[in-house]
Amino acid sequence: MEHNDMKTEEDRQITPLGIYVTLLGLVTVAFGMADILVWAGVSPGFQVGILAIAGDDFFRWAWGGFIVVCAGLFMLAGCTRVTSLQQSAKVVLGGVLVWLIAGTDIFARLCGAIPAGETSPAFFNSVSGFLAAFAPPYTPAVLLLPFTLGIVYLIRIHDTDDS
Amino acid sequence: MTPSAAVVAAADAGGADVMVFSSDARWEMVDAITRQTVTYGTYKQTLGDVLGDLTVKPLTGIPVAVAALYAFWSVFTSFAGTLVTDGFMVKFFDGFWLPWMQSVWPDPESWLYFLFVGNPAADTCFEAFGMLTSGLFVSIGVVLPAVLVFYLMMTILEDSGYLPRLAVLMDSVLHRIGLHGYAIVPIILGLGCNVPAVTATRILETKKQRFIMMTLLALFIPCGAQLGIMMSVLPDLVGVVMLCLIVGFGIFGFVLHTVIPGENPEILVDVPRYHWPVKEYVAKKLWNRTKGFLKEAVPFVLFGILVVNLLYLGGVIQGLANLLEPVFVTWFGVPKETVGPLIAAFLRKDLAIAQLSTIPMTTYQMVASVVLVTIYFPCVATFVVMLREGWKELLAAIAVLFVVVFIYGGIIHGIGILLGVA
């Protein structure tokens, strides 16, 4: 009975999970495109609330933006019959790419936050200085991070299937 | 396992006992091993399997490879550049070590001061160029963190099972330049250090493949130390320099593949499942690789600075600079002062780039001279390993190298003139 229910869930084209993945994919593609466009000079960098795109260097915004676009496209490619293994894998791969960009952004902040500034005589940053380095604004990938946690559910259901 | 009755004992020429198994006994052993090691059942595809397949298919695999490279480079620059070198080492060496050395070492006019401390007016270790100032700063402050994080990332990629997938993905591209997918191993290793990379060319089957790979490694793959220095002294130009090197790698790889006779066979790659790297193995590999690198890097950097300073004192570098001026200024479009760093490049390329950073140059000249230093003669450690692989191959590689440096240096200058930057 449970098996049949699962089948029905897999066969259904539009599910709440599918809608979530579609929306996530669309936003991810939009964020990735924004990264690239700002880098290309369409806008001289912008900040909206806690979201900021500096667009000042090729590596982070053009190359990184391309990866975010790919992540969104992978999610969109897997948004129908999302619980099937093949489709889930595409969504998970998209999530992994977002985690990779967000992870490197956070790691870059961490590495910049540990030492004191160039002009300071001290070697290590103060605690308040360290914490201040993690204050907003954030890059699009970091903002996407909490919203991609739903993808962990897809990993979990297939993990349960395997065991 | 107990050998069956069919086992016959015989004696070899030396008198030692040799076990000779009959065909039946061998099959019995195969069956016994199979019973103990093989589990039969229905194969069920897992999420990991599908992800593994997706990272090998070009449509999905190429973006993943691009992302892996991004993460690799991002972690490398954040850790080695921002955190360790810029965050702590520059401050320590320029703020404490250099002023201390300058104050305690006697007689700034002496040649011993010039050799060990360097320029008495220098404010930074890059400018000083003494054995105990720039030498220690380059080897410990810049190269060590760069190499450490590079080998950590490399080991994680290797042990997680991604590297064989990258080999499969790159196979068709690398076949166009006479190599196959597993050539990605020496290429990535070369980005850490060319010495193990040259040894890793043994993974390639034919002489032709090994020769092409060794030559391209010596020419177009900058080592981790070089990358670390480039990031420190010219961070805005690393992208342009790398682009010049990647284009050169493709063009000259294709030319070598076309010109050199020989086979380029297909490979059969065993692609393991994705898995979490075991931290004990990662730590062990990291330690062995870093230890090996440090053993040769630190003495070579210190010795390199000593030799270059002696050559400066003896007027040899000035003489060579005057002699080679027409080639450097007219053909390559770089100042004649770059002759000194090119000589230093034979000892350590990272050292040469540090030296280049102190010469006043235009952006074009800086890019051209860094590319020249990279594609010019391999450093002495790589040279020795290449010699171990065969002196004929080494001589051929050097001949190719001189031709490529001359042609590619001229091409870059030509492009610079056309773009109006040279």
Side-chain angles (χ1 to χ4, degrees), chain B residues 146-207:
Chain B
V147 165
L148 191 78
V149 72
F150 177 85
Y151 280 137
L152 176 67
M153 304 286 291
M154 170 77 187
T155 309
I156 291 172
L157 282 187
E158 211 173 22
D159 284 19
S160 63
Y162 184 67
L163 216 53
R165 285 175 173 81
L166 195 60
V168 174
L169 197 66
M170 294 301 292
D171 192 55
S172 57
V173 177
L174 290 171
H175 261 290
R176 292 180 197 278
I177 56 168
L179 303 169
H180 62 57
Y182 253 107
I184 199 72
V185 175
I187 291 171
I188 293 184
L189 271 177
L191 289 167
C193 177
N194 281 352
V195 172
V198 169
T199 314
T201 56
R202 290 175 193 170
I203 207 167
L204 303 168
E205 278 85 6
T206 63
K207 271 190 172 181

Side-chain angles (χ1 to χ4, degrees), chain B residues 53-336:
Chain B
D53 291 344
L54 285 175
T55 45
V56 169
K57 288 176 184 163
L59 195 64
T60 42
I62 290 171
V64 173
V66 169
L69 211 62
Y70 174 92
F72 201 102
W73 187 246
S74 180
V75 172
F76 182 82
T77 50
S78 296
F79 179 84
T82 312
L83 179 64
V84 185
T85 303
D86 293 343
F88 296 106
M89 296 298 184
V90 169
K91 197 175 264 185
F92 172 74
F93 276 96
D94 291 352
F96 296 91
W97 182 253
L98 180 66
W100 182 73
M101 287 296 292
Q102 285 171 334
S103 65
V104 298
W105 199 282
D107 193 8
E109 301 297 315
S110 68
W111 63 272
L112 271 176
Y113 188 98
F114 179 75
L115 286 181
F116 291 99
V117 185
N119 180 4
D123 294 323
T124 66
C125 276
F126 269 132
E127 293 166 7
F129 222 74
M131 195 177 154
L132 298 176
T133 50
S134 298
L136 284 177
F137 172 64
V138 166
S139 53
I140 295 168
V142 182
V143 174
L144 178 62
V147 165
L148 191 78
V149 72
F150 177 85
Y151 280 137
L152 176 67
M153 304 286 291
M154 170 77 187
T155 309
I156 291 172
L157 282 187
E158 211 173 22
D159 284 19
S160 63
Y162 184 67
L163 216 53
R165 285 175 173 81
L166 195 60
V168 174
L169 197 66
M170 294 301 292
D171 192 55
S172 57
V173 177
L174 290 171
H175 261 290
R176 292 180 197 278
I177 56 168
L179 303 169
H180 62 57
Y182 253 107
I184 199 72
V185 175
I187 291 171
I188 293 184
L189 271 177
L191 289 167
C193 177
N194 281 352
V195 172
V198 169
T199 314
T201 56
R202 290 175 193 170
I203 207 167
L204 303 168
E205 278 85 6
T206 63
K207 271 190 172 181
K208 172 186 175 169
Q209 288 181 327
R210 284 195 291 273
F211 176 73
I212 292 177
M213 191 69 257
M214 257 200 283
T215 310
L216 292 177
L217 275 174
L219 280 167
F220 294 107
I221 307 289
C223 66
Q226 241 180 298
L227 288 171
I229 291 281
M230 277 199 254
M231 262 163 31
S232 290
V233 298
L234 34 116
D236 300 336
L237 301 178
V238 176
V240 186
V241 171
M242 287 305 287
L243 186 70
C244 290
L245 296 176
I246 292 166
V247 170
F249 185 93
I251 293 172
F252 287 98
F254 180 76
V255 171
L256 287 174
H257 174 42
T258 313
V259 171
I260 298 167
E263 279 183 75
N264 181 19
E266 297 291 336
I267 47 153
L268 196 65
V269 181
D270 179 25
V271 181
R273 280 179 149 196
Y274 276 127
H275 51 265
W276 291 107
V278 180
K279 60 176 184 293
E280 286 80 12
Y281 297 158
V282 171
K284 206 167 197 174
K285 274 188 190 178
L286 185 63
W287 168 242
N288 284 337
R289 283 173 173 170
T290 311
K291 191 176 66 178
F293 183 83
L294 276 179
K295 261 187 193 168
E296 61 197 34
V298 177
F300 270 123
V301 172
L302 299 178
F303 180 69
I305 289 187
L306 187 71
V307 171
V308 171
N309 283 354
L310 282 171
L311 292 175
Y312 268 112
L313 278 175
V316 177
I317 295 213
Q318 190 54 44
L320 276 173
N322 291 335
L323 186 73
L324 296 171
E325 186 179 351
V327 179
F328 277 71
V329 177
T330 316
W331 184 249
F332 295 135
V334 295
K336 67 172 184 173

Side-chain angles (χ1 to χ4, degrees), chain B residues 8 15 36 85 120 136 190 205 311 314 337 341 371 379 381:
Chain B
V8 181
Q36 286 177 34
T85 303
L136 284 177
E205 278 85 6
L311 292 175
E337 288 79 12
V371 172
C379 74

Side-chain angles (χ1 to χ4, degrees), chain A residues 59-60 63-64 66-67 70 74 85-86 88-90 92-93 97 100-101 104-105 107-108 111-112 114-118 120 122-124 155 158 161-162, chain B residues 44-48 50-51 54-55 57 59-61 63-64 66-71 73-79 82-83 86-89 91-92 96:
Chain A
F59 177 69
R60 171 59 191 88
W63 188 341
F66 169 74
I67 296 163
C70 290
F74 286 168
L85 190 63
Q86 297 291 333
S88 289
K90 289 176 194 163
V92 170
L93 202 60
L97 294 193
L100 212 65
I101 301 290
T104 52
D105 282 350
F107 185 70
C111 289
I114 295 171
E118 268 177 44
S120 166
F123 275 95
F124 287 93
I155 300 174
H158 290 295
D161 282 354
D162 298 342
Chain B
K44 194 183 172 203
Q45 207 175 25
T46 65
L47 187 64
V50 184
L51 283 172
L54 285 175
T55 45
K57 288 176 184 163
L59 195 64
T60 42
V64 173
V66 169
L69 211 62
Y70 174 92
W73 187 246
S74 180
V75 172
F76 182 82
T77 50
S78 296
F79 179 84
T82 312
L83 179 64
D86 293 343
F88 296 106
M89 296 298 184
K91 197 175 264 185
F92 172 74
F96 296 91

Side-chain angles (χ1 to χ4, degrees), chain A residues 47-81:
Chain A
Q47 187 180 339
V48 184
I50 58 166
L51 169 73
I53 301 176
D56 52 351
D57 100 81
F58 166 83
F59 177 69
R60 171 59 191 88
W61 302 106
W63 188 341
F66 169 74
I67 296 163
V68 176
V69 170
C70 290
L73 293 176
F74 286 168
M75 289 176 198
L76 291 175
C79 68
T80 52
R81 295 193 190 92

